[in-house]
């Protein structure tokens, strides 16, 4: 991390500045219902290069010709959606910040998804940190020499494509009341698309429409933010709208199947210095004798649900569907961010855009600070200097 920038930030920090920052962050948007951390992360050039290298190694696997064959069992049969395209439009890789064998800060892969993240909000978050705390202008959340302007041009190219903005909608099950609603509206404000709940979309024949006033508009593309896990126990909402698993005349950005293909399911196919040992549970010939060094994760869950941190042999034996679980060597986070009361653990999410007819491009990042047993809101409810944040780097063309 960048020690000098951290020292200056902490010396000038106050709770009053933080409250002003939060007020400005909310201004003009739905109220933020998740915790935003007091501070950004200051990413050194060395860590930045390691993150880029780690991401490139994962991209190489995803671009293999046999990747769809490798991941064909990742998609639950009951959630397979027709008309899958050749590649995802979004890639996000989560890395915990750890110490390597040389006692240097290094990223270790925790999770990965072929699904959108907070692509709109993170830009707004970085701007607000910089403005309200008076941070240096050359600090940026962007990679590859992108600026805020060129970043949103690329985001619009990916999401809207050749269509008109009013023909493209951001969809979630209850979009306006989601915890991430601020991201939906930050995105919509920049690229002009509609934000719709699933039940605001109606099907006629194989076409989809939304109505505004007395005007009905056909939807050509859906910027999909709906995770099937959220409605898996009650799909009756489809009755008042449409079932995504049916044939419809719409393009998906990104197609729902990629949520499953690029996920924990992908991790056993990866290896390297930035990836912890990960195996499908049903392929393990013998239970490791040092289970205290492993974590057990269900393949088909999100937001840390179902993860068993302190694994026992009994936990493994009692699992009825081992093909749907992975056993992963634990990653030891290093408290790399210095808060006023001590070190804080950190995780950085690399966020890529993959336009049609082009290569995937690392664009922006999301970060999270944690003092709890795991990264995530439920494990950090009683702490400060934790929550969502962003990594800031000195501007460069890389």
């Amino acid at each position: 991390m960048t020690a000098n920038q951290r020292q200056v930030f902490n010396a000038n920090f106050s709770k009053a500045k933080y409250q002003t920052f939060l007020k400005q962050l909310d201004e003009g948007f739905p109220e933020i219902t998740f915790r935003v951390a007091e501070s950004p992360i200051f990413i050194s050039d060395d860590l930045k290069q390691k993150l880029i290298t780690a991401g490139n190694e994962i991209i190489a696997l995803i671009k293999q010709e046999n990747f769809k064959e490798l991941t064909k069992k990742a998609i639950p049969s009951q959630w397979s959606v027709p008309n899958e395209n050749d590649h995802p439009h979004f890639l996000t890789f989560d890395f915990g910040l750890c110490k390597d064998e040389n006692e240097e800060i290094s990223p270790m892969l925790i999770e990965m998804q072929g699904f959108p993240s907070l692509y709109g909000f993170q830009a707004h978050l970085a701007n607000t940190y910089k403005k309200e705390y008076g941070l240096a202008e050359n600090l940026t959340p962007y990679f590859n020499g992108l600026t805020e302007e060129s970043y949103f041009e690329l985001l619009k190219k990916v999401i809207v494509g050749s269509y008109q903005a009013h023909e493209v909608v951001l969809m979630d099950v209850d979009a306006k009341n989601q915890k991430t609603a601020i991201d939906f509206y930050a995105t919509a404000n920049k690229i002009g698309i509609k934000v719709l709940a699933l039940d605001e979309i109606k099907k006629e024949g194989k076409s989809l429409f939304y109505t505004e006033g007395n005007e009905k508009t056909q939807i050509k593309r859906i910027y999909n933010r709906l995770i099937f896990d959220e409605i898996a126990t009650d799909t009756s909402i489809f009755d008042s709208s449409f079932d995504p698993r049916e044939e419809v005349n719409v393009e998906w950005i990104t197609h729902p199947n990629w949520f499953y293909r690029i996920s924990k399911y992908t991790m056993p196919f990866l290896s390297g210095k930035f990836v912890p040992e990960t195996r499908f549970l049903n392929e393990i010939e013998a239970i490791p004798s040092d289970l205290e060094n492993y974590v057990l994760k269900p393949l088909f869950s999100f937001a840390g649900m179902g993860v068993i941190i302190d694994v026992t042999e009994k936990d493994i034996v009692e699992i009825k569907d081992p093909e749907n679980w992975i056993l992963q060597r634990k990653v030891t986070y290093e408290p790399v961010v210095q808060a006023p009361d001590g070190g804080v653990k950190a995780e950085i999410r690399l966020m890529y855009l993959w336009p049609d007819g082009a290569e995937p491009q690392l664009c922006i990042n999301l970060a999270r600070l944690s003092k709890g047993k795991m990264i995530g809101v439920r494990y950090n409810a009683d702490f400060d200097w934790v929550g969502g944040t962003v990594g800031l780097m000195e501007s460069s063309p890389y």
Side-chain angles (χ1 to χ4, degrees), residues 111-337:
E111 299 276 4
M112 53 194 298
Q113 285 189 330
F115 191 77
S117 185
L118 308 185
Y119 282 85
F121 176 68
Q122 289 306 111
H124 172 58
L125 179 60
N127 284 342
T128 309
Y129 272 125
K130 290 175 65 176
K131 179 182 177 183
E132 297 307 320
Y133 286 111
L135 303 181
E137 274 303 310
N138 70 328
L139 290 175
T140 179
Y142 305 108
F143 295 87
N144 287 308
L146 288 170
T147 63
E148 182 178 357
E149 182 180 6
S150 60
Y151 168 69
F152 278 106
E153 285 176 357
L154 180 59
L155 186 64
K156 185 171 184 178
K157 177 181 178 181
V158 170
I159 295 175
V160 178
S162 60
Y163 296 101
Q164 298 297 311
H166 68 274
E167 297 175 318
V168 182
V169 303
L170 184 157
M171 180 194 76
D172 203 342
V173 62
D174 184 15
K176 297 176 178 62
N177 294 308
Q178 287 285 348
K179 286 185 178 180
T180 51
I182 190 170
D183 173 69
F184 299 170
Y185 287 99
T187 303
N189 285 355
K190 285 290 188 178
I191 66 177
I193 62 176
K194 299 288 295 182
V195 176
L196 296 180
L198 178 61
D199 62 8
E200 293 179 285
I201 297 175
K202 305 302 178 184
K203 181 183 174 189
E204 296 182 13
K206 289 188 176 182
S207 297
L208 304 178
F209 298 86
Y210 69 89
T211 301
E212 191 170 35
N214 295 320
E215 186 173 348
K216 186 168 68 174
T217 301
Q218 184 177 353
I219 299 168
K220 304 292 181 65
R221 268 188 174 185
I222 292 177
Y223 176 32
N224 181 46
R225 303 299 293 266
L226 169 65
I227 296 175
F228 290 145
D229 301 56
E230 293 183 353
I231 46 90
T233 58
D234 183 11
T235 59
S236 61
I237 191 170
F238 293 157
D239 298 339
S240 60
S241 179
F242 78 104
D243 190 329
R245 297 165 295 184
E246 298 175 350
E247 285 273 357
V248 287
N249 296 327
V250 74
E251 292 182 17
W252 294 96
I253 306 297
T254 194
H255 193 282
N257 290 357
W258 289 105
F259 174 80
Y260 297 105
R261 288 191 183 277
I262 299 173
S263 62
K264 290 186 287 290
Y265 191 95
T266 318
M267 293 187 66
F269 302 111
L270 290 163
S271 61
K273 65 181 292 186
F274 303 116
V275 182
E277 173 200 338
T278 307
R279 291 179 286 172
F280 292 112
L281 191 58
N282 65 322
E283 295 182 0
I284 293 175
E285 295 180 359
I287 296 176
S289 58
D290 59 338
L291 276 178
E292 69 274 10
N293 294 318
Y294 289 84
V295 61
L296 196 58
K297 296 181 178 181
L299 287 175
F300 305 114
S301 72
F302 67 107
M305 299 296 290
V307 173
I308 301 174
I309 303 172
D310 300 312
V311 188
T312 66
E313 186 169 336
K314 182 173 181 286
D315 291 324
I316 293 176
V317 171
E318 290 182 351
I319 287 176
K320 300 292 193 293
D321 56 342
E323 71 278 6
N324 293 326
W325 291 74
I326 55 172
L327 188 66
Q328 184 179 86
R329 182 165 284 277
K330 281 182 179 176
V331 169
T332 303
Y333 289 74
E334 184 70 15
V336 295
V337 175

Side-chain angles (χ1 to χ4, degrees), residues 78-97:
Q78 70 272 29
W79 292 114
S80 182
V81 174
N83 302 319
E84 183 182 322
N85 63 332
D86 291 337
H87 65 77
H89 297 89
F90 306 91
L91 294 167
T92 65
F93 308 147
D94 290 353
F95 293 93
L97 298 187

